Each structure stands twice: as C-alpha cells, then as structure tokens.
Amino acid sequence: GFDSNIVGTTDYADTADSDVIVVTAGLPRKPGMSRDDLLATNAKIVTSVAEEIKATSPNAVIIVVSNPLDAMVQQMFKVTGFEPAKVIGQAGVLDTARYRTFLAMELGVSVEDISALLMGGHGDTMVPIPSCTSVGGIPVTQLISKERLDEIVDR
C-alpha cells in the first residue's frame, strides 16, 4: 500500500533519516571457522556501523544479519542505545525458513503448508523441533521417516 525506496550504499549520508536499515557488515565465515571466531572482529565493525547509524538515522529500525548474529544484535543495541523494539535480528526467521524449505522440498508441498518451531541461538545451537512441526496440520513425524527427518534436521 505504499512505495519504497531501497538504496544499497557504503556512504552513510545516503542513508540519512532512513526508516529501516539492514546491516550486513562484517567478515564472512571461512571454512572451518565458527561464528564465535568472528566475534571480536565483527564486533568492531558493527560498533562503527552502529555509531554512524545513530548519528545519521536516529529513528530507524535496524535489522541485523551480521554473524555471530545474536552477539551482533546485542552490540548494535548497546552502541546505538535505541529502544529494544528497534534493533532486530533475523536468525530465527532465517533458520525456520530454511527448515521449512528443506521439508517442503522433501514432501513436494508449499512452505506455506508447514508450521515449524526452532529453539536456541542462531548457529550450531539452533535446533529444529520435529515434534512441533506439522504439514497441513499433520505431524511431520507421520510423513517422513525418522532417519530422513534426522538428515534434514542436521542439514
């Protein structure tokens, strides 16, 4: 019901007075590297970004997708001083979408038909809960063998 103007930039002046800012800043994980290995380096990067956002877009909602996500969301919140509802991480949404997608591919159904619950922090501690997962109201454990479901959960 409204028009949007989406800008990708490295110049904070271009983002001044933004309503929503998606932060992707930080180094990516390399093979064999844990999310925790990124903590110190990406915390410095996110701190710098947070200071710029605070100065240029003090009323923005910030969506953080930098890893390690939970720690970077907390760092963004701490540095900006924004109210909690304005600093958001997308880990649970992302992980749930992945799980639902893998199940939909396996069953040949729409992701819209799948209801799922995941618990834990984003990363290696995020765990899908098959007993709380259903497809069109039918428990997924009745539709996929335990062995195959375990493979999907591991993925």
Side-chain angles (χ1 to χ4, degrees):
F2 58 90
D3 290 331
S4 298
N5 181 22
I6 300 172
V7 177
T9 182
T10 57
D11 185 348
Y12 291 99
D14 293 336
T15 69
D17 299 319
S18 292
D19 295 318
V20 178
I21 298 174
V22 178
V23 177
T24 62
L27 298 177
R29 272 196 313 169
K30 295 179 179 152
M33 185 183 240
S34 75
R35 282 181 167 78
D36 290 339
D37 293 336
L38 295 176
L39 187 59
T41 301
N42 283 355
K44 289 177 187 172
I45 294 168
V46 167
T47 295
S48 173
V49 171
E51 289 167 346
E52 293 286 348
I53 291 171
K54 183 178 180 178
T56 58
S57 295
N59 298 310
V61 171
I62 304 169
I63 301 170
V64 181
V65 294
S66 304
N67 280 320
L69 187 99
D70 297 329
M72 295 306 100
V73 172
Q74 182 63 30
Q75 184 70 9
M76 181 66 67
F77 170 69
K78 183 176 102 180
V79 174
T80 61
F82 287 11
E83 58 187 88
K86 290 196 164 205
V87 182
I88 303 164
Q90 290 292 294
V93 172
L94 176 62
D95 291 333
T96 301
R98 285 180 180 151
Y99 179 50
R100 291 174 63 208
T101 298
F102 298 153
L103 292 171
M105 290 166 51
E106 179 72 15
L107 296 168
V109 300
S110 169
V111 293
E112 296 296 321
D113 296 330
I114 300 173
S115 175
L117 175 68
L118 280 74
M119 302 288 287
H122 180 59
D124 298 335
T125 62
M126 179 69 73
V127 180
I129 310 296
S131 63
C132 295
T133 303
S134 63
V135 182
I138 300 168
V140 74
T141 54
Q142 293 179 15
L143 301 171
I144 301 175
S145 72
K146 180 182 179 340
E147 295 77 21
R148 181 64 184 134
L149 191 53
D150 288 345
E151 290 172 358
I152 292 169
V153 166
D154 286 344
R155 182 176 177 197

